[in-house]
């Protein structure tokens, strides 16, 4: 760790001073304190304040600044602030916001609140918002901003720079400029740096790399593609086009970082065996938490009931050799652990594009070898454990203790190999069936491995101990 | 899904044509085909080619282009190419690379190869590389590039633009310019767009936001801080300073995206119960895979051995009521599942800063309620299952079947509540002890929940069935 303070530290440090200034109604002091902070830091200070002071602070901030700061807050705080402010002040802040940040709020807001805000917003901003909300949820259109600058290929560099100077103030990103034809179709792009580095009398078209097509994305595409595309091409800004290839907006890296974070959270939750939670843990209500977890927990439970049925086939063996029951949890959990290792590896590798369905045979070959080796490792430890405890008198595994140890050991090789194979193949099979591997692998792997693990264990025991 | 082709599709589509041109030695055709592609796309085509053609293609590319394309390849391919090319060609490509991309290669390369490359590189590039390699591994210094532009506060906008035009061609990012004092200390920053939008006769200092400090990071800081800082402040470029606050480099968003991806992969692997794999799955050798998984699998296995010891305490009860053994896997797995749900939730929430150690009491309260509700849900399903199977004659749970059902049901409430509580509290406790919650939670939760789960189950059974 470095000795620098993190952003939360900045917030906690400054909040007390600002509280004092707010309570003493020293408006100038509040504004002076905020003017020394980055937008993200003001947001952290606001998080630290209590509800009523937060509203006061927000009302004091210039509307444009308030709009910038607003974008860094959690949705719950945003809603608290908006309902706390008068409708007109709220609408003024919304007028100043970047269109994509505005959409972020509207997507999660209650219908009544959204309608009342829309009604009070400036006509231009209202129209823009309504237009963006027409794109489907989780589509690229919902993440983009229509505030961008277009330049014409026949302009000179000087003309382009003048145009930017005149109209660029509102654009969200000027780092890349987009060149369109008369019909607004995207032809090419130009980094601002290239324009600045060029001779002012050159023509824009002479600067374009004519042979390469500009990477673009369709507004109706899934927003997951945004993340992949921007990462694969290392782009800070991506132009968004409609089905006629007309430029309709741009997406910037910071919006994509948020999308990527949400997608990772989704995957992690699914791998942990629960429905993805789309709000912060502390903001989620207990009924929501119970619902998101209860569904999968019940599915897993019902799947695991097969173990009870499988076990009932071996009641006789257990009665004959109670000692078998002792190692049951150990064997089952080893299969489960090796399965979840394989599943995590393969799901992540698929998400990164390192493994595709076409690789299934190679994956199966590798996992079979890994499974056998890992199984042998655990089998050896298991065998030693049984012998050692018996010799030390720590446990009595009957007079057949050596055979018991061997049963445990051989079963472990089988169960671990099975877990590894099932855990690695299931995500690939699910992807092939166009199901989401992250969300359904865990329960299937668990159920299959546990039930088959029991069959292996009692099968081996029946042979070894002659039951 | 959209109808657009993804980058891998582009690669597979174009590779056959390029193979043909390479084999027919039609150099101009190869170059023409590559000139229509983005750097990232050329990299994908190279991945599709076999080893010898890949070397030929790389040799044909202009050195500067080859250097750009190189950065998009996996380390294994990079090494194959470099060893395939003559040492001088390889060194020429390295001369043209961005310093941070060069370091990426040197970090993972064999010492011999690195030394032989360094020896052949231009003195300036060699010195730069050696300087960057002096920063500790996983530090910010290793990720930064020293190719950036500084401007002076007393310059006019026109002077600054002229300076950029004269010296900006090599800089990795011109989107943000850094303003330094005479001692090279970082004073402030300026977006290029602001410079372009300004009156050419204005002074640079008049454009600076003097009240806000520029966000910066220390070159010795952990690279994880990079990700947090750039995401919190939504910055595409972050200036890097040394302990004297002198500007030594910049880090751009694409480098950070790679770091973030690696860190997420690490977390996902750890949550899946294995040592993080720091190379692509398909590139990892089988001994590596076995080692990374075997360690944790063995640790988990040894932990789970306590279940065998715990079970031996209840041999008598099992012998009296074999029926108890039937539900053992079901009960144990339910505890494990509820535990891993809670662990995933809390680990992810901590990583996002939504939950801190200070929240432990609130987390415990919420998880206790969730656990009781989820346990009640499973308990109810379990009770119904036992009654139903008995009535339908699908199984015979002895004449005490109602009590057996009740035992299962009550145990489930206890085990699920326990799993939820342990699963949520352990990550917080481990963080408090300054251990990595992601890597050690899984084994501890599994062991504690399984052993305690057995005690609960047989404890309840002993009372209910009077054993």
């Amino acid at each position: 760790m470095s000795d620098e303070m993190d952003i939360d530290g900045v917030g906690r440090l400054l909040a007390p001073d600002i509280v004092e200034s707010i309570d003493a109604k020293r408006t100038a002091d509040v504004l002076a304190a905020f003017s020394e902070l980055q937008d993200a830091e003001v947001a952290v200070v606001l998080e630290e304040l209590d509800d009523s002071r937060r509203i006061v602070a927000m009302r004091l901030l210039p509307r444009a600044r308030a709009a910038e700061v607003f974008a860094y807050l959690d949705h719950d705080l945003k809603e608290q602030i908006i309902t706390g402010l008068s409708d007109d002040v709220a609408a003024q802040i919304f007028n100043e916001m970047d269109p994509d940040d505005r959409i972020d709020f509207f997507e999660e807001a209650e219908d009544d609140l959204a309608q009342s805000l829309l009604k009070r917003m400036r006509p231009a901003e209202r129209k823009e918002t309504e237009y963006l909300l027409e794109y489907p949820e989780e589509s690229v259109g919902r993440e983009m901003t229509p505030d961008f600058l277009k330049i014409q290929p026949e302009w000179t560099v000087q003309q382009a720079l003048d145009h930017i100077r005149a109209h660029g103030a509102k654009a969200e990103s000027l780092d890349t400029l987009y060149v369109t034809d008369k019909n607004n179709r995207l032809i090419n792009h130009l980094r601002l740096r290239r324009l600045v580095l060029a001779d002012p009398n050159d023509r824009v078209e002479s600067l374009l790399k004519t042979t390469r097509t500009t990477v673009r994305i369709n507004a109706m595409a899934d927003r997951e593609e945004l993340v992949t595309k921007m990462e694969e091409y290392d782009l800070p800004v991506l132009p968004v086009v409609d089905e006629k290839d007309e430029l309709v907006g741009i997406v910037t890296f910071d919006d994509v970082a948020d999308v990527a974070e949400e997608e990772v959270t989704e995957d992690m939750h699914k791998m942990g065996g629960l429905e993805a939670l789309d709000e912060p843990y502390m903001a989620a209500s207990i009924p929501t938490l119970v619902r998101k977890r209860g569904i999968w927990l019940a599915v897993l439970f019902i799947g695991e009931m097969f173990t009870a049925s499988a076990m009932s086939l071996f009641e006789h063996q257990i009665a004959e050799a109670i000692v078998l029951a002792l190692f049951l949890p150990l064997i089952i959990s080893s299969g489960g652990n090796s399965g979840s290792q394989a599943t995590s590896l393969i799901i992540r590798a698929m998400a990164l594009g390192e493994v595709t369905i076409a690789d299934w045979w190679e994956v199966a070959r590798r996992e079979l070898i890994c499974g056998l080796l890992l199984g042998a490792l655990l089998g050896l430890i298991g065998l030693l454990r049984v012998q050692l405890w018996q010799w030390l008198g720590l446990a009595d595994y009957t007079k057949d203790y050596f055979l018991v140890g061997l049963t445990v050991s051989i079963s472990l090789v089988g169960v671990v190999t099975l877990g590894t194979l099932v855990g690695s193949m299931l995500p690939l099979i699910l992807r092939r069936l166009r199901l989401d591997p992250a969300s359904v692998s865990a329960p299937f792997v668990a159920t299959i491995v546990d039930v088959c693990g029991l069959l292996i264990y009692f099968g081996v025991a029946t042979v070894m101990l002659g039951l």
Side-chain angles (χ1 to χ4, degrees), chain A:
Chain A
M1 291 298 287
S2 84
D3 50 356
E4 291 170 72
M5 203 175 351
D6 70 0
I7 191 168
D8 295 317
V10 172
R12 266 192 290 277
L13 185 75
L14 290 172
D17 289 351
I18 289 170
V19 164
E20 213 174 280
S21 303
I22 290 176
D23 291 349
K25 298 198 168 35
R26 292 196 305 266
T27 307
D29 288 356
V30 176
L31 288 176
F34 281 147
S35 79
E36 282 177 25
L37 301 179
Q38 310 284 338
D39 296 332
E41 292 165 347
V42 175
V44 177
V45 171
L46 289 180
E47 281 166 20
E48 294 284 321
L49 297 179
D50 57 84
D51 288 3
S52 59
R53 290 197 185 97
R54 189 180 302 125
I55 307 279
V56 176
M58 203 67 183
R59 207 182 292 131
L60 289 178
L61 281 173
R63 298 290 179 258
R65 185 89 202 272
E68 290 293 335
V69 168
F70 196 74
Y72 289 92
L73 296 169
D74 283 341
H75 184 79
D76 283 9
L77 279 192
K78 286 180 183 168
E79 203 149 291
Q80 187 263 325
I81 289 172
I82 292 303
T83 41
L85 291 171
S86 77
D87 289 354
D88 287 326
V89 174
Q92 283 163 23
I93 293 176
F94 269 76
N95 281 336
E96 300 297 326
M97 274 165 67
D98 284 338
D100 48 341
D101 294 334
R102 210 186 285 138
I103 293 300
D104 278 351
F105 180 81
F106 276 94
E107 276 186 332
E108 292 187 47
E110 298 287 325
D111 244 17
D112 289 357
L113 180 59
Q115 288 308 323
S116 119
L117 270 171
L118 271 175
K119 222 183 303 167
R120 283 179 176 77
M121 274 162 56
R122 275 198 299 259
E125 276 74 15
R126 187 174 72 208
K127 241 180 95 181
E128 189 180 56
T129 307
E130 285 168 344
Y131 162 72
L132 289 174
L133 282 172
E134 277 171 25
Y135 283 98
E137 267 181 63
E138 309 238 322
S139 73
V140 173
R142 285 282 182 103
E143 304 295 328
M144 73 184 183
T145 170
D147 287 346
F148 57 90
L149 264 200
K150 295 175 290 190
I151 57 175
Q152 310 281 325
E154 61 275 13
W155 288 354
T156 63
V157 167
Q158 191 59 55
Q159 274 179 303
L161 287 173
D162 290 344
H163 178 78
I164 294 169
R165 212 166 268 145
H167 301 101
K170 209 191 157 203
E172 183 163 335
S173 170
L174 285 181
D175 301 337
T176 307
L177 302 160
Y178 295 98
V179 186
T180 53
D181 68 9
K182 300 278 181 258
N183 296 318
N184 194 31
R185 273 197 297 264
L186 180 63
I187 313 177
N188 218 317
H189 68 283
L190 193 61
R191 300 290 300 267
L192 177 59
R193 53 187 289 180
R194 221 175 136 72
L195 209 58
V196 172
L197 295 173
D199 181 323
N201 300 314
D202 280 350
R203 286 201 177 276
V204 166
E205 54 199 344
S206 72
L207 303 177
L208 302 176
K209 297 186 182 166
T210 45
T211 51
R212 289 183 220 168
T213 334
T214 296
V215 180
R216 63 198 70 198
I217 194 162
N218 192 293
M220 300 297 285
D222 191 296
R223 63 176 197 169
E224 259 195 89
E225 276 185 53
L226 263 184
V227 184
T228 331
K229 214 153 203 171
M230 289 178 90
E231 281 183 1
E232 278 173 342
Y233 288 95
D234 277 354
L235 294 172
V237 189
L238 194 62
V240 182
V241 295
D242 62 14
E243 63 292 346
K244 283 175 290 184
D245 219 21
E246 285 178 28
L247 187 59
V248 291
I250 58 171
V251 186
T252 53
F253 83 98
D254 52 319
D255 304 319
V256 170
D258 295 342
V259 172
E261 198 173 276
E262 283 171 36
E263 300 282 344
V264 166
T265 305
E266 236 173 63
D267 276 3
M268 284 203 177
H269 286 172
K270 286 179 187 167
M271 281 168 63
L274 68 154
E275 278 287 293
L277 204 64
D278 44 17
E279 55 195 322
Y281 171 80
M282 285 304 222
S285 69
I286 287 183
T288 306
L289 282 176
V290 170
R291 189 163 39 78
K292 298 270 182 184
R293 296 151 83 157
I295 295 169
W296 275 121
L297 216 51
V299 170
L300 282 160
F301 185 74
I302 290 166
E304 287 286 333
M305 280 180 181
F306 287 104
T307 58
S309 306
M311 290 282 288
S312 64
L313 301 175
F314 301 105
E315 265 186 279
H316 159 71
Q317 281 85 337
I318 300 171
E320 288 277 301
I322 297 289
V323 68
L324 286 179
L326 305 188
F327 297 100
L328 200 57
L330 184 62
I331 297 211
I332 294 216
S333 71
S334 299
N337 291 336
S338 58
S340 74
Q341 283 188 337
T343 306
S344 312
L345 265 178
I346 300 301
I347 287 181
R348 183 64 186 157
M350 282 204 289
L352 295 177
E354 295 167 3
V355 166
T356 62
I357 299 171
D359 300 317
W360 77 271
W361 176 245
E362 176 61 15
V363 172
R365 193 188 66 81
R366 292 162 64 95
E367 290 300 309
L368 180 64
I369 302 174
C370 283
L372 286 168
L373 290 171
L374 292 169
L377 171 71
L378 297 199
L380 188 67
I381 302 177
L383 188 63
L384 291 175
R385 160 68 159 76
V386 173
Q387 308 307 314
L388 202 65
W389 257 236
Q390 186 76 25
W391 292 337
L392 295 175
L394 289 170
D396 179 14
Y397 298 133
T398 75
K399 63 174 172 42
D400 292 328
Y401 71 92
F402 183 72
L403 289 178
V404 169
L406 221 51
T407 301
V408 169
S409 181
I410 295 173
S411 304
L412 280 168
V413 177
V415 168
V416 170
T417 308
L418 175 84
T420 308
L421 266 184
V422 172
S424 58
M425 289 295 108
L426 246 169
L428 291 168
I429 294 170
L430 291 168
R431 168 64 58 89
R432 184 79 188 74
L433 300 174
R434 295 179 178 279
L435 294 169
D436 178 2
S439 67
V440 271
S441 288
F444 277 104
V445 172
T447 307
I448 298 175
V449 173
D450 285 359
V451 174
C452 298
L454 286 175
L455 299 178
I456 292 176
Y457 181 42
F458 286 108
V460 172
T462 306
V463 174
M464 296 293 294
L465 303 173
L467 297 170

